[in-house]
Amino acid sequence: MPSPVTSRDFEAMLFDLDGVLTTTRTVHAAAWSRAFDDILPAWDAEQGTTSAPFDPIWDYAANVDDKARQDGSGKPYWRAGSPAVGDR
């Protein structure tokens, strides 16, 4: 069934404005924290390490927020050789 709403119903469309028109930083940070909370125990078991939990304020700001998609995804967080990076 086709959507009753079409592009002809709009004069303009805005894309990728999360954080500009809406406050999504806290939701994104919580999602990243939950993802790392799920990943870190297995990482530590495999690597024989003990990692600090992903900090949704510090780690998100330093490693994810305002990064281009190709540079984000927590890559700096992992590149340091261990998920537990940074001085907190």
Side-chain angles (χ1 to χ4, degrees), residues 4 19 21 24 28 30 34 37 42 49-50 52 61-62 66 73 77 79 83-84:
L21 297 179
T24 55
H28 288 169
R34 184 171 177 187
D37 287 350
T49 57
T50 302
D66 288 332
S73 305
Y77 186 69
R79 279 194 190 132

Side-chain angles (χ1 to χ4, degrees), residues 2-45:
S3 172
V5 179
T6 69
S7 60
R8 285 177 263 187
D9 297 320
F10 301 93
E11 291 183 29
M13 293 182 207
L14 304 175
F15 297 95
D16 200 18
L17 292 171
D18 56 317
V20 176
L21 297 179
T22 60
T23 305
T24 55
R25 185 182 194 284
T26 54
V27 175
H28 288 169
W32 277 97
S33 183
R34 184 171 177 187
F36 279 110
D37 287 350
D38 290 347
I39 292 169
L40 289 177
W43 167 271
D44 285 336

Side-chain angles (χ1 to χ4, degrees), residues 25 29 32 54-67:
R25 185 182 194 284
W32 277 97
F54 184 86
D55 184 299
I57 296 171
W58 192 91
D59 289 323
Y60 182 80
N63 301 298
V64 180
D65 196 29
D66 288 332
K67 303 286 187 284

